[in-house]
Amino acid sequence: MKTLLIGGSRFVGAEIAWKLLESGHDLTIMSLDSPPAELRRHVEWLQVNRDSPEALCDTFAGRTFDHVVDNIAYVPDHLRPVLAALDGRIGRYLMTGTTDVYPKNFPRMWHEEDIEIRDYDLADLNSYDRYNLGKRSCQALLAASGVPWTVLRPCSVTGPRDNLSGSPAGRGLHWFEQSGRSHFWISRVRDGGPILLFADDENVFNLVWVGDVARAAVHLLSRADTIGEAYNVVGDELWTNERLVRALARAAGREVEIVKARSEAIGAVEIDYGTVHGSGASWSIYDNQKLKATGWLPTPAESWLPDLFHAEPEIDYRGGYHTRLQEIAIARHRQRHRTGTMHPAPQLFTRAVLPAPSGAAHATLTELIPGRCTPEASSAWRERFQMRTPDAPLPRCSDFDGRTVSKVGVGTWMGGLDGQTSAAYLETLVYAVARGLNVIDTAINYRSMLAERVVGQAVRKLTALGIGREALFVTSKGGFITHDAGDPRAPALYREQEYVESGLITAAENERSHSLAPAYIDDQISRSRRNLGLETIDMYFLHNPEEEIPHVGRARFYELLQEAFVVLERRVAAGHIAGYGLATWEAFRARPDHPKYISIAQAASAAQRAAKRVGNRQPGLRAVQLPFNVQDRKPLTFANQAMGKEQVPALEACRRLGLHVFTSGTLMQGATPPAWLDGLAPGRSRHAAALAAVVGIEEVGTALVGMRSTARVDEALSLPELTRPAREVFSLGE
Amino acid sequence: MTGVAVYAGPAGRLSEVVCAALIEAGYLIGEVGDACDLFVDNISRSSAQAHAAALVAGRPRHYVLISSSHVYPATEHLRPWTPADADIVADLAAWATPELLNARRVEREVRLLHAGRTPLTILRPARIDGEEGDEHARITAYFCRRVSADERVVLPEGGLPLYRFAAPEDVAAAVVAVALRPDAFDRVLNVANEAVLTYWGHAALVRDGLRKQLSFVYAPRDRWVGSSLRLPGLDQAWATLIQVSDELRGWGWSPVDPLRYMTMSAANLVLAHDPADVHAHERERALADALQRTPPAAPKPGAVGDTPREPRSLQWRLDAWSGEPASLNLIRTDQVRTVPLPTLRVRRLAMLAAEERFLRGEYPQHGHRALGHSALLEVHASIDEAVPAGSLALPMATMPCADPADCLFCRDGSHGVVGIGCDGYGLGLCTTPATHLVPVPPELADYALLADPLACLTNGLPGERWQADKGPVWIAGRTVEAALAAWIAHDLGRSVTHVDRVERSHDEFPTKRLEGELERLRAGELERPTLAFDFTGSPEVSWPLSTAILPGGHLFVHRRPPGVASGIHWHHMPVAAWSKEMLVEALAQLARWERYRDVRRRVGPAVPLDLFWDVFLPVPFALPFLEDLRP
């Protein structure tokens, strides 16, 4: 497909250019300024002034384009020369419009058809009206031109390399200016000072992530049924300046102090300060259902807010920051003159704010819930779920020794020790299981035992609500030495008294925070059962056992492993765990001569010997956990495991030994997924594509994803179909 | 005829509108208890009522339950609720209010009663305007009273919810849209009007409906709460922020125009007497009057808001960290026992461009600093005859001094600005070599702090740029430097224009709008400046200002502009005087100006130490300073 992009040198244009390239378009960019250097080598650049009909005719003589994407048409006079120069040689025209075509002074959401599209007289208009009516006139001209057309109407676009300044008097930045309005609040949140907001700010607005605009452009071009239509390109969130600031602070993990002052008081000081997305009373909110109905989905703000911080690692001094000291001075002055303290605003950014289960989370559940995940209950739950919500996306599942377990599991590693995090996990776990994800992974050291307790609470809540314990598959791990966040003792004292003085571990093991000592593992299983409130843990992993190898040597390590397995086999026999496994980080993807390498076959042999010693008919070693994602693909591609005379990759070794594979680090622990994923799941985020790729590998039993928000759950539930087989994906981007 | 429809629900506007819509759609309306094809249940508000409704409904072809948005949590959320958001099993959640639990219970009961028997559709409207117990109408009435009586509404500052409503017509249209439609069977659909309201927006629509004027008064939260005021409908507002089900639109449903509807309903509202609200309204009036009697004072430097703390010692330290503007802090330390001679007391301290740049992080610097390079010092103890005890002096801010070998700061040969490169004069007691001090005659003490910025201006321009030509000078920014630069230019017979992004009045230095001046320039009405200063630090100023300058002209800035017009020269202004001679000359210049200019007006208000942040509040064309008033 030959595609002409008009205006592809900055921000939205450059982002669209990348997306078009990734979708296989043969791209020509027409702009006066050069496209970014890294883009130049992939495109043809025409440095032509679009206002010059002669130059356009000369440039385009004899050329034909399947698509023209016009990012910089503001008035019909911008369009006419292009249409004339390419008369009859344009397959389709996609123009970037704007939601500024809708009024802002009414408290309502606007639909695409709510405005009149016709040719307007643009003479003697102010810049705002000229922009609004100019874009409408452009659409009218396109509609009359006979060329198949589509119009995108993005709202305020946010993202890296934002080249627009904000209110008041926003303007396009010059090529030498690197950033603009998207970083206005970032700099302020980053510097830690009080943030000055207008007390009478009633502005409600939408934002859209720049990548979503680019995805929308490519997505609409790929569909024939979008010809002759205009689409609002808008995120789902409704923002106010205050909510945006708090959400940004939350994404950055920072506290933010908001101070409100009346606009007249700020105005009287005569500083040149205005909040970047406007203030006062206005509504810039738009309906995005029409575009969503075509299959496009906006990226949840939870995903892109951190990316804004990553894009601007330093405070941005260039635009809008010059008044910062005066803002702080006004805020401090305002606080001093208050008669009382400000009431804290309610917590934001949670879909349903559960109370922090602080007290409960610190308390250990005393009565253990009997049962374990069973084949009948786990498959029945899936059927019930399907009956109850026939239209909801059915989560993919795999078979694990007859039990139906979801291909995506909920991880609980990350987060602080605060009640908010516990609340977010609790909400997310209930939400996820209610939607069919029945695997929950935790460990005793995650959030210093709080993670296990939150899982326990979630299981109780679900059980009380009719989702039986037997439908859930709960895993935990032991090996790392942790204190108990709910214990009043200092962490070091706790570990000393609980583990060292009681003889469970040595001082050296305490020092390195890891142990596989059989007595210690036995103790940890008991603690985990109490924390989780479960009679039986479905899968108990030895956590990063390879940590011991450098300290004890390889030969001793396998002996130690077997001793630990003996303990685990006894616990299997007692019904305290249903099975066990090895949760590793480097062990299964390292070279065989690496100091932390573990042979899966040797581990399996150790398990068989342990089972025999305890008298169990089958070894309880049933699973492994290892990091695997679109970037770290060694478990699929690196043949480091000996199977007889053959060397095979870890995933293949597990398949041959019948071990269920749980993947960790599935989404690269929050790192930005690589750009080459974009073309694999049109209309969907890179995260979704990355997850779909891992889940699509048949050797992968369950892909674990850390989830602290329901948006992540939604993403995991609606995995996209990839345009290429999953296995092929792992040969891309090398 | 499409069939027989029965509507079960309280008599009222919704009942009328739904029945009328059904008749218009070709239905015959039956009585409750009649056999029917379509049963519209707007009466089930409890499990018992749901059972009763199911009994009287018999076996219709389609059962439509009008539920409510109460099934969603009334907690703040960024995205409007969708039907799936209520699937989360939340009955035991602590945020589950009685309204939520009841609404869910009713839905569950109706689902179970009709499972496998009757096709069911559940509509979840936002608050239906005019329905019994409706909060939306209460809010409308609340604002109607205030707009009618006072044309004034008081709102608490910030943190207020967004909410939606549904007009009876919207619900009626939804009932007709789903009625007997097989693809609507067993579906749950949100129904709401297009409007997304805030309390401000709601009040504004009422204002339009009543054709009145309206002013808003914002009360600080503590005052609002302290007056026992409460907005109606606040508790459940967030629950109503729902996403309209897209299927409804596909089936031909469309909402009424929210603006017309709201203004009409406000105009037609018959206000009932509400004694509780009368009392609240009185308290609200009193609060508004109090707030308006004492409007929020514009922050003024040095306006004492609280009593300065009793000092424990003479020693204090204005501490800051580069790149962390909020780190500025006044620290009172223990009394120092020994300070090298000459011992200096810092009486006045100025915060100038160098300090601002330091705080903003524009100078690379790690570690805390005592801030301040320009100060008026009182010599506390000295053995040097040039600066005897009791005399006043200005310190040098840059290094090295005349005799680096003996200088406390300069002996390592490093260059820098005191207060930026190393600790400055933001200290109660300090010391510096006597050779770094410029004696200040007592009669110049009031405005001696102007010497440093003046020295930067008179000596900072290369090639005697001040006198290179007689072209106009444009100055942007309203700092003390702008005033001093204007005086220098006036003395040289050059015309001066003060410009900024907006026009501002001032009796001595009126400021014109930069954009307007540029237009006049383009129209040929003005002569292009050959020299310009930007003291704002804003790229919104430096760029257009640079386009005004005659090619070959010069632009002086404090912050590197991200770009300038081609053909002009731009320069950094120095931010500190770098020799004693410059300070001496500047003091002499100030003394000369004193004879025919009001130099003292260029010195801003004295800011007590404890209010140290106020020193950054802008004072047009003057220099506020920190003052240690203690004896």
Side-chain angles (χ1 to χ4, degrees):
Chain A
M1 283 173 293
K2 292 182 73 63
T3 300
L4 171 68
L5 173 62
I6 305 177
S9 55
R10 281 174 245 154
F11 196 35
V12 177
E15 194 77 18
I16 291 177
W18 281 118
K19 289 285 188 293
L20 287 168
L21 283 174
E22 287 158 7
S23 302
H25 291 248
D26 179 6
L27 191 59
T28 301
I29 292 180
M30 185 177 97
S31 62
L32 286 175
D33 296 329
S34 166
E38 67 271 25
L39 194 57
R40 278 280 295 279
R41 68 177 78 105
H42 302 291
V43 302
E44 178 193 14
W45 175 36
L46 303 176
Q47 191 175 23
V48 185
N49 183 353
R50 72 176 302 162
D51 296 330
S52 167
E54 299 78 21
L56 288 177
C57 285
D58 289 347
T59 306
F60 294 132
R63 300 188 66 162
T64 300
F65 290 101
D66 300 307
H67 303 122
V68 174
V69 179
D70 193 343
N71 201 32
I72 50 171
Y74 299 100
V75 292
D77 285 345
H78 288 155
L79 279 177
R80 285 193 191 97
V82 178
L83 293 172
L86 283 166
D87 189 22
R89 286 174 285 132
I90 301 175
R92 186 160 173 190
Y93 208 106
L94 181 106
M95 188 188 81
T96 306
T98 173
T99 50
D100 280 353
V101 295
Y102 305 109
K104 290 179 184 297
N105 49 349
F106 300 110
R108 58 168 292 183
M109 288 183 134
W110 295 97
H111 295 269
E112 287 81 352
E113 65 276 14
D114 286 340
I115 49 156
E116 186 181 4
I117 297 296
R118 63 176 172 82
D119 191 29
Y120 290 86
D121 181 5
L122 304 178
D124 302 326
L125 294 177
N126 62 34
S127 59
Y128 179 79
D129 288 341
R130 190 176 163 79
Y131 182 47
N132 164 4
L133 300 181
K135 286 287 190 184
R136 294 195 202 194
S137 302
C138 284
Q139 185 177 332
L141 177 64
L142 275 180
S145 69
V147 176
W149 60 274
T150 305
V151 168
L152 287 179
R153 289 188 192 145
C155 63
S156 187
V157 184
T158 193
R161 297 201 289 199
D162 185 351
N163 66 333
L164 288 173
S165 70
S167 299
R171 65 175 177 92
L173 301 183
H174 306 287
W175 62 269
F176 38 73
E177 292 175 87
Q178 306 257 319
S179 60
R181 63 185 168 182
S182 291
H183 306 290
F184 184 90
W185 290 129
I186 300 264
S187 298
R188 284 158 174 79
V189 170
R190 205 183 277 287
D191 73 27
I195 290 185
L196 186 65
L197 291 180
F198 292 83
D200 44 0
D201 184 357
E202 299 281 351
N203 183 22
V204 187
F205 55 92
N206 286 127
L207 295 174
V208 65
W209 180 243
V210 63
D212 291 344
V213 179
R215 275 197 298 115
V218 177
H219 175 66
L220 291 175
L221 280 179
S222 71
R223 295 177 63 108
D225 57 353
T226 58
I227 289 174
E229 299 287 341
Y231 293 90
N232 294 340
V233 188
V234 175
D236 280 336
E237 295 82 10
L238 293 171
W239 298 103
T240 62
N241 279 305
E242 182 175 350
R243 303 173 85 193
L244 181 57
V245 168
R246 289 195 189 281
L248 281 167
R250 195 177 164 94
R254 286 172 177 251
E255 293 291 319
V256 67
E257 181 188 8
I258 288 179
V259 177
K260 299 208 169 182
R262 285 190 237 178
S263 50
E264 60 263 37
I266 297 176
V269 179
E270 299 185 357
I271 70 165
D272 192 10
Y273 175 66
T275 47
V276 69
H277 292 292
S279 57
S282 71
W283 291 263
S284 309
I285 48 178
Y286 316 99
D287 191 279
N288 62 4
Q289 293 291 327
K290 186 175 172 184
L291 182 55
K292 282 166 90 171
T294 69
W296 173 91
L297 285 174
T299 307
E302 294 91 327
S303 295
W304 57 254
L305 285 169
D307 289 347
L308 278 181
F309 277 92
H310 298 154
E312 192 69 32
E314 299 292 333
I315 289 172
D316 175 19
Y317 302 115
R318 288 157 294 216
Y321 196 70
H322 61 288
T323 57
R324 185 62 180 133
L325 291 171
Q326 283 79 37
E327 292 161 42
I328 298 174
I330 294 171
R332 295 284 183 241
H333 197 280
R334 180 89 183 126
Q335 287 170 325
R336 214 169 62 227
H337 282 75
R338 281 277 162 119
T339 52
T341 52
M342 291 278 285
H343 288 264
Q347 284 296 324
L348 302 178
F349 213 71
T350 46
R351 288 159 66 100
V353 182
L354 292 159
S358 48
H362 287 202
T364 301
L365 305 164
T366 50
E367 199 175 314
L368 304 182
I369 299 176
R372 63 178 74 181
C373 185
T374 63
E376 302 74 28
S378 57
S379 66
W381 164 238
R382 184 176 155 85
E383 284 158 20
R384 266 178 66 191
F385 175 76
Q386 195 171 12
M387 284 164 60
R388 217 180 88 170
T389 50
D391 295 334
L394 196 61
R396 295 187 208 172
C397 290
S398 58
D399 180 90
F400 183 7
D401 292 346
R403 294 162 293 193
T404 304
V405 295
S406 52
K407 284 279 275 190
V408 177
V410 187
T412 58
W413 172 35
M414 309 278 264
L417 303 182
D418 54 296
Q420 281 292 334
T421 306
S422 295
Y425 270 123
L426 182 55
E427 179 200 351
T428 307
L429 287 168
V430 174
Y431 185 86
V433 175
R435 279 158 175 74
L437 302 184
N438 70 338
V439 178
I440 303 173
D441 177 70
T442 187
I444 193 164
N445 65 315
Y446 289 176
R447 303 179 57 237
S448 300
M449 301 198 199
L450 292 186
E452 282 190 336
R453 291 187 185 134
V454 169
V455 171
Q457 284 200 314
V459 173
R460 277 178 148 62
K461 191 172 278 287
L462 289 161
T463 307
L465 296 167
I467 301 174
R469 158 70 185 101
E470 290 78 7
L472 307 176
F473 194 91
V474 180
T475 75
S476 190
K477 316 180 190 77
F480 282 109
I481 299 163
T482 180
H483 75 283
D484 180 353
D487 193 280
R489 283 171 286 182
L493 182 66
Y494 176 90
R495 286 164 50 155
E496 187 70 25
Q497 292 181 343
E498 290 286 314
Y499 303 133
V500 182
E501 288 177 11
S502 60
L504 292 174
I505 59 172
T506 64
E509 286 169 328
N510 191 24
E511 180 77 17
R512 64 175 183 261
S513 292
H514 194 272
S515 172
L516 286 186
Y520 173 71
I521 296 299
D522 202 41
D523 170 84
Q524 294 291 284
I525 293 173
S526 302
R527 287 178 199 259
S528 287
R529 289 173 66 229
R530 283 202 302 275
N531 288 337
L532 289 162
L534 298 181
E535 179 67 38
T536 306
I537 300 170
D538 295 299
M539 176 59 56
Y540 191 83
F541 289 105
L542 292 182
H543 204 170
N544 289 19
E546 66 266 35
E547 291 296 318
E548 291 298 301
I549 304 176
H551 303 284
V552 300
R554 193 174 300 282
R556 169 67 188 137
F557 168 75
Y558 284 109
E559 290 171 15
L560 192 60
L561 195 63
Q562 186 177 323
E563 289 166 19
F565 282 170
V566 168
V567 170
L568 293 167
E569 289 287 349
R570 288 198 181 115
R571 289 290 193 156
V572 171
H576 296 161
I577 59 175
Y580 61 89
L582 298 177
T584 64
W585 192 248
E586 289 158 297
F588 295 153
R589 50 181 178 155
R591 293 166 57 94
D593 56 358
H594 190 278
K596 292 190 176 177
Y597 171 82
I598 295 177
S599 159
I600 298 176
Q602 275 187 268
S605 300
Q608 276 183 342
R609 288 193 294 273
K612 196 172 174 184
R613 210 164 117 191
V614 174
N616 290 346
R617 284 176 55 200
Q618 295 286 334
L621 179 70
R622 301 302 308 133
V624 298
Q625 196 176 120
L626 45 78
F628 178 55
N629 55 56
V630 290
Q631 286 195 315
D632 189 350
R633 44 187 79 167
K634 280 183 184 168
L636 182 67
T637 58
F638 180 38
N640 64 343
Q641 295 290 336
M643 285 281 119
K645 292 179 181 175
E646 225 182 321
Q647 287 285 331
V648 297
L651 289 182
E652 174 60 17
C654 292
R655 190 188 66 78
R656 293 189 189 183
L657 292 169
L659 299 176
H660 191 85
V661 175
F662 292 83
T663 67
S664 55
T666 312
L667 292 181
M668 292 149 286
Q669 298 183 292
T672 306
W676 53 263
L677 285 168
D678 286 345
L680 293 172
R684 298 296 305 277
S685 70
R686 289 178 193 169
H687 280 113
L691 183 55
V694 173
V695 168
I697 298 295
E698 61 192 30
E699 291 93 331
V700 172
T702 300
L704 298 173
V705 180
M707 296 186 195
R708 258 189 293 171
S709 76
T710 49
R712 275 269 179 267
V713 179
D714 290 337
E715 197 169 66
L717 284 166
S718 57
L719 288 180
E721 289 296 330
L722 300 179
T723 54
R724 308 176 72 154
R727 206 168 274 276
E728 268 183 38
V729 173
F730 287 86
S731 61
L732 299 174
E734 295 274 17
Chain B
M1 190 191 82
T2 312
V4 176
V6 168
Y7 175 88
R13 184 158 155 66
L14 179 64
S15 155
E16 290 168 15
V17 173
V18 171
C19 290
L22 287 169
I23 290 167
E24 200 172 312
Y27 289 87
L28 277 179
I29 303 298
E31 292 293 321
V32 174
D34 290 351
C36 62
D37 301 287
L38 173 70
F39 190 87
V40 182
D41 176 2
N42 187 31
I43 200 153
S44 295
R45 296 289 178 266
S46 66
S47 301
Q49 285 170 336
H51 277 271
L55 277 176
V56 296
R59 295 292 295 269
R61 284 163 58 203
H62 189 190
Y63 193 101
V64 176
L65 170 69
I66 299 179
S67 178
S68 85
S69 58
H70 284 323
V71 294
Y72 300 110
T75 51
E76 184 162 6
H77 50 290
L78 286 175
R79 289 178 283 274
W81 299 123
T82 60
D85 290 314
D87 290 348
I88 176 168
V89 227
D91 293 7
L92 297 187
W95 44 258
T97 57
E99 289 86 353
L100 177 142
L101 292 174
N102 189 52
R104 289 182 177 213
R105 194 176 299 125
V106 170
E107 277 195 11
R108 192 165 51 228
E109 205 65 36
V110 173
R111 270 205 194 96
L112 292 172
L113 285 167
H114 296 279
R117 295 176 67 230
T118 316
L120 170 71
T121 300
I122 297 177
L123 298 178
R124 285 183 186 154
R127 288 167 180 157
I128 304 174
D129 187 40
E131 275 287 86
E132 187 184 346
D134 164 43
E135 294 284 357
H136 184 78
R138 271 189 64 207
I139 303 171
T140 307
Y142 175 90
F143 285 130
C144 273
R145 279 189 202 98
R146 282 146 182 84
V147 173
S148 308
D150 303 337
E151 298 191 338
R152 181 178 69 181
V153 162
V154 187
L155 293 174
E157 281 179 1
L160 291 176
L162 305 178
Y163 55 90
R164 300 186 89 157
F165 75 100
E169 288 80 356
D170 298 332
V171 181
V175 170
V176 172
V178 301
L180 301 185
R181 176 182 282 276
D183 44 358
F185 292 171
D186 301 321
R187 302 296 301 272
V188 179
L189 302 160
N190 281 346
V191 184
N193 194 268
E194 294 296 351
V196 176
L197 293 171
T198 59
Y199 281 93
W200 193 100
H202 201 140
L205 291 174
V206 169
R207 169 199 63 191
D208 295 345
L210 298 179
R211 295 173 189 277
K212 293 269 193 178
Q213 298 294 314
L214 178 60
S215 64
F216 290 87
V217 176
Y218 282 86
R221 284 249 161 208
D222 48 353
R223 303 284 296 273
W224 175 264
V225 173
S227 300
S228 301
L229 293 173
R230 187 167 175 76
L231 287 167
L234 201 58
D235 290 343
Q236 290 297 314
W238 280 114
T240 67
L241 187 66
I242 57 175
Q243 176 86 49
V244 179
S245 293
D246 200 34
E247 296 90 335
L248 279 176
R249 288 188 174 279
W251 298 334
W253 174 86
S254 65
V256 296
D257 183 299
L259 310 176
R260 195 173 305 150
Y261 178 83
M262 283 291 297
T263 48
M264 289 276 290
S265 61
N268 297 332
L269 188 73
V270 179
L271 286 178
H273 179 68
D274 182 347
D277 193 37
V278 169
H279 293 299
H281 195 179
E282 282 308 314
R283 291 195 300 278
E284 193 180 306
R285 280 186 178 127
L287 175 61
D289 290 343
L291 289 168
Q292 289 184 323
R293 265 198 309 276
T294 52
K300 287 193 170 39
V304 180
D306 53 5
T307 313
R309 282 172 291 169
E310 193 61 33
R312 284 184 301 166
S313 78
L314 286 179
Q315 190 60 334
W316 49 268
R317 174 185 173 90
L318 193 65
D319 195 81
W321 192 289
S322 173
E324 293 186 18
S327 67
L328 184 69
N329 193 17
L330 185 81
I331 299 166
R332 294 186 186 280
T333 58
D334 290 338
Q335 186 69 53
V336 286
R337 298 286 174 207
T338 55
V339 180
L341 295 177
T343 307
L344 306 162
R345 279 202 62 187
V346 180
R347 285 298 189 186
R348 293 180 173 187
L349 187 69
M351 291 288 122
L352 289 156
E355 284 73 26
E356 293 203 15
R357 293 184 63 171
F358 174 83
L359 282 169
R360 280 201 293 256
E362 292 171 51
Y363 295 123
Q365 179 66 55
H366 301 289
H368 287 274
R369 285 280 170 268
L371 207 59
H373 78 281
S374 176
L376 180 66
L377 309 172
E378 179 188 331
V379 182
H380 190 66
S382 170
I383 54 168
D384 196 309
E385 289 177 2
V387 280
S391 66
L392 298 172
L394 291 177
M396 271 186 63
T398 56
M399 299 177 288
C401 72
D403 191 0
D406 297 331
C407 175
L408 187 67
F409 299 132
C410 308
R411 60 176 62 128
D412 63 353
S414 61
H415 294 243
V417 177
V418 175
I420 304 301
C422 63
D423 273 352
Y425 299 100
L427 293 162
L429 288 171
C430 65
T431 186
T432 197
T435 51
H436 277 202
L437 295 173
V438 177
V440 175
E443 65 273 18
L444 300 187
D446 286 350
Y447 48 84
L449 280 179
L450 298 178
D452 183 77
L454 179 59
C456 293
L457 283 166
T458 51
N459 295 277
L461 278 59
E464 296 186 330
R465 187 55 37 209
W466 284 114
Q467 300 184 57
D469 59 65
K470 290 291 179 188
V473 179
W474 282 21
I475 302 172
R478 309 176 87 217
T479 64
V480 67
E481 294 146 303
L484 299 175
W487 281 353
I488 297 170
H490 284 148
D491 285 358
L492 295 169
R494 301 181 73 160
S495 75
V496 174
T497 305
H498 291 274
V499 290
D500 210 332
R501 292 213 302 163
V502 291
E503 190 169 309
R504 297 191 192 277
S505 61
H506 189 275
D507 53 1
E508 193 174 353
F509 307 103
T511 305
K512 294 178 178 168
R513 198 168 69 89
L514 178 55
E515 206 53 48
E517 292 302 285
L518 287 173
E519 280 172 23
R520 292 182 61 198
L521 207 64
R522 287 191 282 269
E525 296 172 21
L526 297 175
E527 187 185 349
R528 284 187 177 277
T530 54
L531 177 62
F533 296 87
D534 175 21
F535 297 116
T536 66
S538 167
E540 313 284 326
V541 171
S542 58
W543 166 257
L545 183 59
S546 74
T547 64
I549 299 169
L550 193 70
H554 295 260
L555 171 66
F556 287 83
V557 294
H558 270 322
R559 297 181 61 212
R560 185 183 192 280
V564 291
S566 60
I568 68 152
H569 309 281
W570 74 270
H571 316 266
H572 264 309
M573 281 288 295
V575 291
W578 60 89
S579 77
K580 279 174 81 171
E581 292 70 30
M582 287 168 59
L583 285 175
V584 171
E585 171 53 29
L587 283 170
Q589 173 69 57
L590 289 168
R592 284 197 295 278
W593 272 344
E594 173 69 32
R595 293 184 209 135
Y596 59 97
R597 296 193 192 281
D598 195 349
V599 179
R600 283 180 171 78
R601 284 188 64 198
R602 302 285 69 82
V603 180
V607 176
L609 278 178
D610 284 283
L611 310 184
F612 58 97
W613 261 109
D614 281 10
V615 83
F616 289 105
L617 291 176
V619 180
F621 302 105
L623 176 68
F625 61 92
L626 280 172
E627 186 170 42
D628 191 348
L629 293 169
R630 289 165 300 155

